[in-house]
Amino acid sequence: MTRCYCKANEARSRTLATLRQLRQPAPARFFQTRVDARIIKTGFDTDTCRSNFIVEDFLRRGQVSAARKLYDEMPHKNVVSTNTMISGYVKSGDISSARELFDAMVEGRTVVTWTILMGWYAGNNRFDEAFKLFREMCRSYTLPDHVTFATLLPGCNDSVSENTVGQVHGFAVKLGFDRNPFLTVCNVLVKSYCEIGRRDLAFVVFEQILEKDSVTFNTLITGYEKDGLYIEATRLFLEMQRSGHKPSDFTFSGVLKAVVGLHDFSLGQQLHGSAITTGFSNDVAVGNQILDFYSKHDRVLETRNLFNEMPELDFVSYNVVISSYSQAEQYEESLELFREMQRMGFDRRNFPFATVLSIAANLSSLQMGRQIHCQAIVATADSIPHVGNSLVGMYAKCEMFEEAELIFESLSQQSTVSWTALISGYVQKGLHGAGLKLFTKMRGASLRADQSTFATVLRASASLASLSLGKQLHAFIIRSGNLENVFSGSGLVDMYAKCGSIKDAVQVFREMPDRNVVSWNALISAYADNGDGEAAIGAFTDMIHSGHQPDSVSVLGVLTACSHCGFVEQGTEYFQGMSRIYGITPGKKHYACMLDLLGRNGRFAEAEKLMREMPFEPDEIMWSSVLNACRIHKNQGLAERAAEKLFSMEKLRDAAAYVSMSNIYAASGEWESSSRVKKAMHERGIKKVTANSWVEVNHKIHVFSSNDQTHPRGDEIVRKINELTDEIERQGYKPDTSCVGQDTDEQTKIESLKLHSERLAVAFALISTPEGSPIVVMKNLRACRDCHAAIKLISKVVKREITVRDSSRFHHFRDGLCSCRDYW
């Protein structure tokens, strides 16, 4: 009877439990069923297993405190309980609590326990701790499994020693994880060696993998690309295709970056076609990489068209196109797209603040720069390193040096980039001495200069025309191990050329182990600025034959050469071939160069036609070029129209337009009109830039201005000038007093010409340097016709080579002749 009663009660209890379970929501019933199934399957203690699942569920929902409370209350815990809790702490970022539980496990740690903790340390770049745990695990006789290796290795960077990775690799080989079916371990070994800079060892592991997959190829392709081994990356991509492995979005992203590095436009187009065929062009990451490829090749139109056709856009897409417009100096289009991006709802921290700040810097628009600065503060993006560096550069280039230095001092880390941004700001504004002092201070802070730093200080040296300083920097670059860097080499080519030593520039170029488009551009510009048009065109042709695709700078260099030498037909051919042959959209500088070329040849009708057809309004540089051409060819009618356009501009760089127009009137004897222009200039508050010339003697720069006799050796200089004037007059020199824009008597004009700044500098150099040694003089404005004629004859009389670099080009005077052939 009692037995039957008990059985009835048990049956009733089971029925009530079933009913209660059925009353629970479906997810709860599923959870209960899942727990019961796990209990039956594992045979674990029922209460412990049930509690483990509840702990796991709490953690999944982010209720870490509730999970820990239940864990602490469990009467019987097992290793699963502790592993689950440690994993929960790790996922929530509470590593101290996770480590506390781990350290309390005197025994019972499994490979899972060790791997969970190692994964957090490796994922947070604390590799010393991660590998220390790995060694402790092995010493505790717990063998790693394939998950351990796949967790520990992928995040390695160059802070991890080759020896450490090698030891882990050896352990993986010993346990048999270096072969299939453990391909994941093989792939992370390849990645680890790539990350620590041992591409050779990565390739060895790659070759030993018998059955590779797409990830294997992608890993090594990415490694090659990051190390600048672009040819190897593209070759591996071709091998991947031949072996039958299908590319993925990662494949296309990696190989497209390599093609950008190679500047191989044709190959990039083929990859674009392949991405379209395989459907990966619709992937936003691949699409962005294709955008970047066209952008880096100055294909602004193709970049925008592709952007418009992309089915999905993200903040990277906008950043690439905004940057593309900025690089092409199409600032309005860039800013319009930035405004559109602001309306799209992207995370504001991902906005291209650095790019827009560079636009403000290039436009010297302090107002715009401050607006962007405010937006960056609101988005808390001003703390992002590259944005902070751009703020430093923007304020410096807007001549707000106090603000630039305040932001520089407030940066959390004053890196090489931030120092270079500040130095560049000073150098760009002509404060070369201040920039070089900052460079010295940077070296004192034990920071290594990079290619951008060297390019900036070399530019300062070139602007000062200090060949001795340039040679010191050359020696420093050699000592720092940067000589083989292609950008440092290119900077040296540019520096020597701008210091008037074209021979040294060419020698540096020929000794460069690697050359890219920047290197060739430096050589083309060197020849162009020094008046050797044939050599510039030859270098442009050689660049194409060497497999390098010209960019907008390359074409600008060759157009400048044509302009300096009067090669109208060749220049027109290159200009028209920009879009048709090279796929480059002409920018404002290209149009300005063509206007200069046509104007200085007196082809004003063609110049005016070109201005009407331009996709933008002529700017100050273009109208100034027209005005100068009118001065040369005495086209007063067009000169007046050009001057009117210039005078109506809200902002002018300097008084050059007023001075040129005043001189045009003075040359034609219209002194009243000349005075009226000067009066308008003074009323507008625009000051004429003082003409300065300087020369380096015994490692010291000596600066002279017109009619300035304050130099300590002033009397000797004037005596030398008078002596030289007498000698060149015997050679046929006659003063060209039309170069004097003042209504004074003829003798006063002649005396004024004798004391022009470049003649003072030449005379000083002649009395201060050994006979026969070359002289290099720099001038901040264009040399006048009279000084040009005089220095030609002086070079013949003193039997020296005299080089004068004015604001336009170099003049190499030798034996009474000039390299410009009097076309300047």
Side-chain angles (χ1 to χ4, degrees):
M1 180 70 177
T2 303
R3 203 179 300 120
C4 290
Y5 181 79
C6 290
K7 285 183 178 179
N9 277 340
E10 287 174 10
R12 183 171 177 273
S13 296
R14 284 197 300 272
T15 303
L16 289 172
T18 302
L19 287 172
R20 279 196 298 271
Q21 186 176 351
L22 289 170
R23 289 193 190 102
Q24 292 177 348
R29 292 202 308 273
F30 172 76
F31 177 74
Q32 183 72 43
T33 305
R34 185 163 63 89
V35 171
D36 290 342
R38 182 65 178 270
I39 292 169
I40 294 167
K41 183 177 179 181
T42 61
F44 287 171
D45 176 76
T46 305
D47 293 335
T48 301
C49 190
R50 198 181 296 272
S51 296
N52 287 346
F53 271 99
I54 296 171
V55 168
E56 184 182 355
D57 191 58
F58 276 135
L59 293 171
R60 189 181 296 110
R61 288 181 286 168
Q63 299 176 6
V64 181
S65 298
R68 181 58 189 262
K69 185 174 183 297
L70 178 58
Y71 172 83
D72 289 338
E73 293 172 353
M74 289 172 62
H76 301 291
K77 304 178 183 70
N78 59 18
V79 69
V80 175
S81 315
T82 308
N83 285 349
T84 302
M85 200 64 229
I86 290 173
S87 178
Y89 277 130
V90 165
K91 289 177 182 175
S92 68
D94 187 356
I95 191 62
S96 60
S97 296
R99 190 63 193 255
E100 182 184 343
L101 276 180
F102 176 84
D103 292 338
M105 293 177 72
V106 180
E107 57 183 31
R109 293 173 184 163
T110 65
V111 65
V112 175
T113 319
W114 291 93
T115 301
I116 290 170
L117 213 56
M118 273 188 269
W120 187 90
Y121 284 119
N124 287 273
N125 294 326
R126 292 174 61 177
F127 295 107
D128 288 344
E129 294 282 351
F131 285 105
K132 182 181 177 182
L133 282 173
F134 179 79
R135 288 189 289 269
E136 288 178 7
M137 180 185 72
C138 296
R139 283 195 290 266
S140 69
Y141 302 104
T142 302
L143 291 177
D145 60 11
H146 68 284
V147 178
T148 309
F149 291 107
T151 302
L152 177 65
L153 290 170
C156 288
N157 57 32
D158 54 10
S159 68
V160 180
S161 71
E162 178 190 333
N163 186 49
T164 300
V165 177
Q167 287 177 355
V168 177
H169 182 186
F171 217 108
V173 172
K174 185 176 181 180
L175 296 175
F177 291 126
D178 64 326
R179 63 181 72 93
N180 298 91
F182 304 108
L183 185 56
T184 303
V185 177
C186 300
N187 288 343
V188 297
L189 282 167
V190 173
K191 186 176 188 297
S192 299
Y193 279 122
C194 285
E195 292 296 334
I196 66 171
R198 289 304 305 268
R199 308 293 183 270
D200 53 338
L201 296 178
F203 182 72
V204 170
V205 177
F206 175 86
E207 287 288 278
Q208 290 173 349
I209 301 173
L210 299 178
E211 296 182 20
K212 304 175 181 69
D213 63 3
S214 296
V215 176
T216 318
F217 281 94
N218 291 346
T219 303
L220 194 55
I221 287 171
T222 303
Y224 280 144
E225 181 274 321
K226 285 183 178 178
D227 206 36
L229 303 173
Y230 305 127
I231 294 175
E232 289 81 351
T234 52
R235 283 175 180 167
L236 194 59
F237 171 71
L238 296 174
E239 181 185 331
M240 177 182 182
Q241 289 188 307
R242 285 193 298 268
S243 61
H245 292 90
K246 291 184 178 180
S248 66
D249 52 342
F250 292 104
T251 316
F252 280 108
S253 293
V255 77
L256 278 164
K257 288 178 184 176
V259 170
V260 168
L262 285 172
H263 298 281
D264 192 330
F265 186 72
S266 176
L267 180 56
Q269 285 183 307
Q270 292 177 43
L271 284 169
H272 184 188
S274 179
I276 293 172
T277 304
T278 55
F280 283 111
S281 62
N282 292 328
D283 179 272
V284 68
V286 176
N288 288 340
Q289 203 56 58
I290 297 171
L291 277 178
D292 188 60
F293 159 74
Y294 282 111
S295 172
K296 291 284 177 24
H297 283 85
D298 298 324
R299 302 298 182 99
V300 183
L301 183 61
E302 288 94 329
T303 303
R304 185 56 192 261
N305 288 341
L306 179 60
F307 175 84
N308 293 337
E309 294 168 1
M310 285 175 65
E312 181 185 354
L313 298 169
D314 61 9
F315 70 89
V316 176
S317 318
Y318 276 90
N319 284 347
V320 171
V321 185
I322 289 169
S323 177
S324 179
Y325 277 129
S326 174
Q327 289 165 6
E329 298 182 9
Q330 297 184 34
Y331 299 134
E332 189 51 49
E333 292 84 349
S334 187
L335 294 171
E336 179 58 38
L337 205 58
F338 176 67
R339 288 188 281 268
E340 180 183 317
M341 184 183 184
Q342 291 177 303
R343 298 190 291 268
M344 296 299 292
F346 295 118
D347 182 352
R348 299 178 74 85
R349 279 179 65 84
N350 294 322
F351 283 4
F353 290 116
T355 300
V356 184
L357 284 167
S358 73
I359 293 174
N362 291 334
L363 294 174
S364 296
S365 176
L366 182 61
Q367 182 182 6
M368 182 198 302
R370 282 180 167 158
Q371 288 176 358
I372 301 302
H373 187 181
C374 291
Q375 291 190 37
I377 292 172
V378 171
T380 66
D382 57 323
S383 60
I384 300 173
H386 71 274
V387 176
N389 296 336
S390 296
L391 283 167
V392 172
M394 183 276 293
Y395 280 112
K397 289 172 184 174
C398 288
E399 299 187 61
M400 305 298 289
F401 296 110
E402 187 175 345
E403 285 87 341
E405 291 186 11
L406 281 172
I407 293 172
F408 175 79
E409 293 295 336
S410 70
L411 294 175
S412 58
Q413 182 181 3
Q414 292 170 356
S415 64
T416 298
V417 177
S418 48
W419 276 97
T420 303
L422 191 59
I423 294 168
S424 179
Y426 279 102
V427 171
Q428 187 167 316
K429 289 302 175 182
L431 302 172
H432 309 299
L436 291 167
K437 284 180 182 177
L438 274 173
F439 173 65
T440 304
K441 192 175 178 181
M442 172 186 167
R443 290 177 59 194
S446 300
L447 280 169
R448 285 178 60 86
D450 63 11
Q451 59 194 34
S452 298
T453 319
F454 285 125
T456 301
V457 294
L458 284 169
R459 189 161 63 249
S461 173
S463 298
L464 290 170
S466 176
L467 188 59
S468 63
L469 175 60
K471 288 183 175 179
Q472 289 177 39
L473 289 169
H474 190 170
F476 181 67
I477 290 170
I478 292 171
R479 291 196 303 272
S480 65
N482 279 273
L483 184 61
E484 293 188 359
N485 181 284
V486 68
F487 293 100
S488 296
S490 303
L492 284 168
V493 172
D494 184 64
M495 180 275 295
Y496 278 118
K498 286 191 167 74
C499 285
S501 184
I502 188 68
K503 181 180 177 182
D504 287 325
V506 173
Q507 183 176 343
V508 169
F509 178 84
R510 287 175 177 168
E511 292 175 353
M512 289 176 69
D514 296 304
R515 299 169 188 146
N516 62 7
V517 176
V518 176
S519 320
W520 283 100
N521 289 349
L523 183 67
I524 293 167
S525 296
Y527 282 129
D529 291 341
N530 281 272
D532 196 340
E534 292 89 350
I537 292 171
F540 183 83
T541 304
D542 290 342
M543 177 182 72
I544 295 171
H545 289 161
S546 69
H548 291 88
Q549 180 75 13
D551 61 12
S552 60
V553 179
S554 315
V555 181
L556 182 63
V558 81
L559 285 176
T560 301
C562 292
S563 176
H564 285 336
C565 298
F567 298 162
V568 180
E569 282 68 31
Q570 295 98 315
T572 303
E573 186 178 334
Y574 283 117
F575 181 77
Q576 292 175 348
M578 284 184 68
S579 300
R580 179 170 46 85
I581 300 174
Y582 307 115
I584 303 169
T585 304
K588 286 186 177 181
K589 290 182 179 178
H590 301 97
Y591 279 99
C593 211
M594 278 303 298
L595 286 172
D596 188 61
L597 174 59
L598 294 169
R600 289 206 290 138
N601 269 271
R603 296 164 76 155
F604 293 108
E606 293 172 61
E608 290 187 89
K609 181 174 181 290
L610 184 64
M611 281 196 287
R612 289 193 299 270
E613 294 174 350
M614 287 191 306
F616 28 68
E617 289 296 315
D619 61 12
E620 180 186 354
I621 294 173
M622 296 175 186
W623 281 119
S624 296
S625 178
V626 171
L627 186 59
N628 180 61
C630 292
R631 178 188 60 79
I632 294 170
H633 293 280
K634 297 181 172 54
N635 185 339
Q636 190 165 319
L638 180 56
E640 288 174 340
R641 295 205 305 276
E644 184 180 351
K645 291 286 186 181
L646 287 163
F647 297 164
S648 65
M649 288 182 178
E650 186 177 343
K651 186 177 180 181
L652 288 174
R653 293 173 301 165
D654 51 42
Y658 287 93
V659 173
S660 293
M661 197 62 227
S662 174
N663 289 341
I664 289 171
Y665 282 131
S668 61
E670 299 181 37
W671 295 107
E672 287 187 12
S673 297
S674 177
S675 298
R676 188 173 64 251
V677 171
K678 288 181 180 178
K679 182 181 178 182
M681 179 182 75
H682 292 307
E683 287 175 349
R684 190 172 173 180
I686 299 175
K687 294 182 179 180
K688 180 181 176 182
V689 177
T690 303
N692 289 322
S693 297
W694 59 97
V695 62
E696 182 180 16
V697 175
N698 296 327
H699 308 298
K700 183 180 178 182
I701 303 292
H702 297 260
V703 183
F704 299 88
S705 57
S706 294
N707 297 303
D708 178 13
Q709 299 180 46
T710 60
H711 192 277
R713 300 182 68 181
D715 292 341
E716 293 178 74
I717 293 170
V718 172
R719 280 199 300 273
K720 186 65 176 177
I721 287 175
N722 290 329
E723 175 190 318
L724 290 169
T725 302
D726 291 340
E727 291 190 45
I728 62 176
E729 282 179 348
R730 287 193 287 271
Q731 296 288 331
Y733 165 74
K734 292 182 180 179
D736 183 356
T737 55
S738 67
C739 295
V740 180
Q742 295 176 348
D743 187 12
T744 59
D745 63 86
E746 198 71 6
Q747 189 57 40
T748 302
K749 289 180 181 180
I750 292 172
E751 291 301 315
S752 173
L753 289 172
K754 285 164 48 176
L755 297 178
H756 274 193
S757 64
E758 54 265 58
R759 279 198 235 184
L760 291 169
V762 168
F764 171 71
L766 287 170
I767 64 174
S768 306
T769 57
E771 288 189 16
S773 61
I775 295 170
V776 179
V777 172
M778 301 289 152
K779 184 174 182 179
N780 63 332
L781 302 178
R782 190 186 292 266
C784 77
R785 291 191 307 275
D786 184 72
C787 286
H788 190 270
I791 296 173
K792 272 201 307 181
L793 291 172
I794 289 172
S795 71
K796 182 179 180 181
V797 168
V798 300
K799 294 181 173 55
R800 293 213 215 179
E801 182 177 353
I802 302 173
T803 298
V804 176
R805 190 189 81 187
D806 66 10
S807 60
S808 175
R809 61 179 298 167
F810 276 93
H811 299 270
H812 297 278
F813 300 97
R814 183 186 297 163
D815 296 328
L817 300 173
C818 180
S819 59
C820 74
R821 301 170 190 171
D822 296 337
Y823 181 85
W824 57 284

